[in-house]
Each structure stands twice: as structure tokens, then as C-alpha cells.
Amino acid sequence: MSFSSQNSMDSHSAPTSRRQSSIARAASSLRASAASAVSAVEEQIEVGTIGGTALNTTCNVIGAGVLALPLAAHNAGLGWAIILVIVMALVGAFAAYVIFVGCDRSGAFFLNEVFAIAVVGRPVAADERPIAIPTLKGSMAPESPLISQQPRGSTVAQTTPLTPAERASGFDNRCPEAQCPQGATAVPVAKEEPAADARKPPEPAPKTVSHQSVPEGEKRRQQMRLTLSLLIDIVVFCNNYAMLAVYSRVIIDSIPPVLVQFLRVPHSSIWASEEFWCIAPGVIFFGLTSVRNMAELKWSSILGIATIMFAALAIVIEFGRFGYQGDYTPNDTRRVNTWAIHGTFPATLATLTVAYSYHFNAPIFYHELEDRSPRKMMQTVAISFPTIGTTYLVVAVFGYLSFGDHVADGSAGGDVINNYLNTNTLINAVRLGLFFHFACVYPVMSVCVRHSFHRFALTAIGRREEATHPDMPARVPRAVIVAEAFLIVATACAFAYFYGNIGQLIVFVGAICGATIMLTVPG
């Protein structure tokens, strides 16, 4: 637009623009700036593609739970385990769809916020609350019908002082109907009272009343939303933090035999000790945990999926070569439970809720998806879940048939890889591959743990609105990310060092946290 045409437009609109409130103009400018900032952040966040999100989903779901599936098959019976693996895949996919729809309708992108809004209701927007109108005396009058009937966003023009005639008439006629902005009208004003007697003490100043008060009912709903949100955040945090400890424990158990066989490292060497492999992976995990969002982990997800597929293939190859491998003692025969239901049956359900659970990260993946919609997001589930279910069936069936009831031996700790001999070359290659797998999947889980931890911290210091903002991960300073990553990784590795049975830990976490995240919350 040329300068002359701009001047011409300004000259025609001058009577109206002079009457616009300076506060309204400032608010409009602030809204435009905020919208521009949010748009810039969105461009950085929405970088996920269908393929990249499917890779992250697959890598996030396939984790340490796959190693405990042969034990799950033993606990439920092989036949029931096959059925449960398929059924739980369908249940998990449907639960993910429910969460995606919840995100789309609520506008929230953290599982705790989606759940709180679904149960309590959406927060009342500021412009939907009752508005108190100040009078000339500075007190707050009830909401005016003139204001309540205005379209949202309209303003009442009052910029110049009242004339003596207007003071006498009791009406503000500075905004004739023909020149007022749309929806604005003449506003009745109170007549000024005579000056008070100088000897009379001044009246106390009126109490300050919020321009937009929060109804009492909304305050109660806010508190309920906060309580539910914190409860789900605690469940998600405990579930994911326990999985970080499981990943660390698998590495502690797997790498020393690899070094002894391939590099001829002595058993007594520090390089083959549990202490070293408790600390060394933590250094790698710390760097990967410091990423800002999930989309940055796309290429690590590809490597993570490839390594777990290699582990499943190795289990099949070893079964094809040797068949039953649990004959640790003479005359030891394979004992396989096919359909008998025992008291350990519920443990299989708990294990599978952990094995399929990624629903704590589903809102974050959904938020990062470009041009997101529930239908588009389900395309990522359609790619990832059949792959995951097939892998689980292979590991559960062939792992259990390879060792029978020995998968429940205490020395195995619920990890089928520990049932193989330490001198098995192919399995040692799998153990090495698992290190790279967990190096890839660990940050996907730990980033979620870090998000939960950061929301805890913001809520504790009274910055709840910032904690629940959907773009919170993009706004965290890098120094804070590094500090949180160090705290999470260091404590998880220490926990893994002192607790060694991943089978028990998976069942315990699945029964409490996994079932809540995958079944209760979406339901």
C-alpha cells in the first residue's frame, strides 16, 4: 500500500480511530505479538511426519518388555499368551485413538491434562467470565446489558472528557450511533456529586475487584483438574522412571559377557564389572536425554528397531539350531504350560500393559505431527502396532519353547537372554545390539520423564499455567534440560545397580502404572 493511499484512508477513518480506546489498541497489539510468537514455536514443534512418528512409536513401545514375554507365556500358558498378545494390541491401538480424539477436542497435549479436562471439563476462558464495568466513582458496577449484548471483541469508545452538557444530562453522547464501532453505543454515566465537605474525613477507597472474576464453581473445578493432573503425572513418572531402571539393568547384565568373549577381557577387570557398566551407559544416555523434543530422535529410532528385530531373529535361529536349550542337568526335559491357568495369569496381563504402553507419550507424538488429526495419527498406529505384535509373538513363542519353565528361574531375572550361555556367540551379538537399542529407546522414555519432572517443578513454584502449556518443551532453557537430564539418568542407573530382577519390576509397574495408563485413563 502506498504512503498517499494510507494517508487517504487515515483521513477518512480518523473520527473513529480517535475514539478507540488506547487500552483496546494495546491489547490488540499484544494479542498479535503473542499469536506471532506461538506461530513461530508451532513451526519448530510440528515437525513430525507419519513415517517418523511411526518409527518413534515402534521404538517407544518395543523396549525391555519384549525380553519378559517368554516368562509371560509361562505365567499364562502359551495358548492364552498368544491370544492375549493379539487382544492387547487391539486394546492398545483403540486406547491410543481415544487419546488422540481427546487431544483434538481438548486442545491439551499432555496425558494428564487431557484426562483432567475429560473428567472435569474445559477451563472457562477469560472472555467467557462475567465482566464488571467501572463507574465514574471508581467502584465496580454490575455487568451492563449494553456490554453483554456486544459481539466479542467490540469496544466502547470513551477517550475525550465529558462536556458540561453531557455531565448535566447524565449521558455520554460522544459516540454517535453512525460513528461508533460495531456494537458500541452511548453509555449512561452517573452524575458527579458535589465536592465533599473538607472537614468530613475521606471515604475509604473501594476494594479492588478483579476485572474478570473467576466463579466459585470454576475455582473448585480448577482445583479438581489440578489434583487429577498431578495424580496422572505421578503415575506416568513412576512408570517411565521404572522402565529407565530396567533398561539400565539389562545393559549391566548383557555387556560384561560380550567383553569377556569378544575382547578377552578378564572377568575380574573393571571393564567387565557391573559398576563400570552402571556408569558408562549413563554418560551416553545423559547426552541423548538432553534433546528438546521427540522428532529429534527419528534416526535413533530406526537403529533401535533394527536391533530388537535382530534379537527376535536370533531367538528363532537358536531354536532352529538347538531346539530345547533348557537341559542344564541330565535327563532334563522341556516342560511347557499350554492352557492351564494358574495364579500367575494376572502377571501376564501386567507385563503386556507395559509391553504395549506408550500412551503417556501419545499426546506428545500427536502434537509434533505435522497437520495433525486423529485419523492421520492412526496411520502411524496402523504401521507400528502390527510390527510390534508380530515381534512379540515371535519372542514369546520361540523364547518359551527354547527353555520351558526355566524362563522362570531366579538366575534369569525375567530376561530370556540371561537363559542363554555366556559363550553363545550369536546371543552375545544380541547382547551387544541391545546396548545400542536401549541407547536409542532410552531417550524416548527419558524425555517423557523429564517433561513430567519439569511440570512438577513448575507447579511446585506456582507457575501452573506455564506447566500446562502445550509448547512447554520448546520453552525450557537448555541449561534446565541438561540439569534435569543428569538428575534423572544418574538416579535411574543407581536404582538399576541395586535392584536386579527386571521381571518382578515389570509386573509390579504394569499392575499399577501400566494398567492405569493404557486402560483406566483412556476409558
Side-chain angles (χ1 to χ4, degrees):
M1 182 181 295
S2 66
F3 179 74
S4 60
S5 62
Q6 180 66 49
N7 286 341
S8 175
M9 183 176 293
D10 290 346
S11 65
H12 285 86
S13 60
T16 301
S17 61
R18 282 196 299 269
R19 294 182 179 90
Q20 287 184 335
S21 169
S22 59
I23 296 178
R25 290 197 302 270
S28 178
S29 175
L30 182 60
R31 285 194 299 268
S33 300
S36 177
V38 171
S39 177
V41 174
E42 286 286 340
E43 290 179 0
Q44 296 179 5
I45 294 297
E46 292 184 358
V47 294
T49 62
I50 292 178
T53 304
L55 285 172
N56 271 340
T57 299
T58 305
C59 192
N60 194 184
V61 176
I62 295 182
V66 70
L67 303 177
L69 289 178
L71 177 60
H74 169 73
N75 289 334
L78 185 59
W80 292 115
I82 293 173
I83 295 174
L84 288 175
V85 167
I86 298 173
V87 170
M88 293 300 287
L90 297 175
V91 171
F94 178 73
Y97 173 73
V98 172
I99 292 175
F100 301 149
V101 173
C103 292
D104 193 61
R105 296 186 179 182
S106 67
F109 297 100
F110 295 113
L111 183 63
N112 58 334
E113 292 300 316
V114 176
F115 178 71
I117 292 174
V119 174
V120 182
R122 187 192 303 272
V124 176
D127 54 3
E128 296 174 355
R129 296 173 187 164
I131 302 177
I133 309 300
T135 65
L136 288 178
K137 295 180 67 176
S139 62
M140 305 301 289
E143 183 179 355
S144 168
L146 296 173
I147 298 300
S148 63
Q149 296 172 6
Q150 297 179 45
R152 187 179 300 175
S154 62
T155 59
V156 177
Q158 292 186 18
T159 56
T160 59
L162 295 173
T163 65
E166 290 168 344
R167 292 176 184 271
S169 66
F171 285 87
D172 180 0
N173 294 316
R174 294 167 295 168
C175 185
E177 185 174 355
Q179 298 180 1
C180 280
Q182 182 181 1
T185 185
V187 179
V189 296
K191 294 183 180 180
E192 289 188 352
E193 298 179 358
D197 191 341
R199 292 171 296 179
K200 183 179 179 180
E203 295 181 2
K207 295 182 180 181
T208 302
V209 181
S210 173
H211 181 67
Q212 294 181 337
S213 58
V214 180
E216 188 63 31
E218 175 60 19
K219 289 182 180 179
R220 289 194 297 269
R221 287 191 292 271
Q222 284 180 351
Q223 186 59 42
M224 187 176 296
R225 276 191 294 269
L226 176 61
T227 302
L228 291 174
S229 179
L230 287 177
L231 178 63
I232 298 303
D233 239 348
I234 291 173
V235 172
V236 172
F237 180 86
C238 293
N239 179 86
N240 296 344
Y241 186 81
M243 289 301 100
L244 296 183
V246 169
Y247 297 163
S248 299
R249 185 68 230 182
V250 172
I251 291 176
I252 292 173
D253 291 337
S254 299
I255 299 303
V258 175
L259 296 179
V260 171
Q261 181 182 12
F262 291 158
L263 300 181
R264 306 301 182 193
V265 174
H267 287 279
S268 58
S269 172
I270 188 175
W271 308 110
S273 65
E274 289 190 354
E275 292 78 9
F276 178 81
W277 287 104
C278 174
I279 298 173
V283 176
I284 299 174
F285 295 158
F286 164 69
L288 294 174
T289 304
S290 299
V291 302
R292 188 173 294 277
N293 58 60
M294 300 294 185
E296 297 178 24
L297 301 173
K298 174 181 176 180
W299 297 109
S300 66
S301 296
I302 296 176
L303 181 59
I305 295 170
T307 55
I308 210 71
M309 295 301 176
F310 173 62
L313 179 61
I315 291 174
V316 174
I317 292 174
E318 289 299 292
F319 179 78
R321 291 175 60 192
F322 304 108
Y324 178 62
Q325 302 166 64
D327 49 349
Y328 303 127
T329 59
N331 301 322
D332 188 1
T333 58
R334 177 166 53 196
R335 293 180 294 273
V336 173
N337 173 25
T338 306
W339 294 106
I341 298 178
H342 302 295
T344 55
F345 187 90
T348 300
L349 292 173
T351 301
L352 289 175
T353 58
V354 173
Y356 278 112
S357 179
Y358 87 114
H359 302 79
F360 44 83
N361 271 340
I364 300 176
F365 289 151
Y366 181 68
H367 185 229
E368 293 181 357
L369 182 66
E370 187 176 7
D371 299 326
R372 56 180 174 263
S373 69
R375 180 183 295 272
K376 184 176 181 179
M377 191 65 184
M378 285 305 292
Q379 296 179 34
T380 70
V381 176
I383 295 172
S384 57
F385 267 58
T387 304
I388 295 165
T390 302
T391 304
Y392 283 177
L393 286 174
V394 168
V395 174
V397 171
F398 289 99
Y400 185 37
L401 293 178
S402 295
F403 296 99
D405 59 357
H406 285 294
V407 296
D409 289 351
S411 58
D415 181 356
V416 67
I417 297 298
N418 288 340
N419 286 106
Y420 291 93
L421 298 176
N422 289 341
T423 56
N424 188 314
T425 303
L426 180 60
I427 296 302
N428 279 338
V430 170
R431 291 183 172 112
L432 181 61
L434 286 175
F435 173 80
F436 292 103
H437 168 77
F438 289 119
C440 297
V441 74
Y442 192 102
V444 178
M445 190 76 71
S446 61
V447 166
C448 184
V449 173
R450 185 167 52 75
H451 288 170
S452 296
F453 181 82
H454 192 73
R455 287 195 295 273
F456 287 154
L458 290 177
T459 302
I461 61 178
R463 295 162 63 179
R464 178 63 185 166
E465 184 175 351
E466 183 178 347
T468 58
H469 196 282
D471 295 330
M472 181 272 289
R475 299 180 175 187
V476 182
R478 178 61 67 179
V480 175
I481 292 176
V482 171
E484 292 174 347
F486 176 79
L487 178 64
I488 291 169
V489 173
T491 54
C493 290
F495 181 79
Y497 177 75
F498 291 105
Y499 190 85
N501 194 312
I502 70 168
Q504 293 179 0
L505 185 58
I506 289 174
V507 170
F508 177 77
V509 173
I512 298 177
C513 302
T516 301
I517 295 170
M518 181 176 169
L519 303 177
T520 306
V521 172

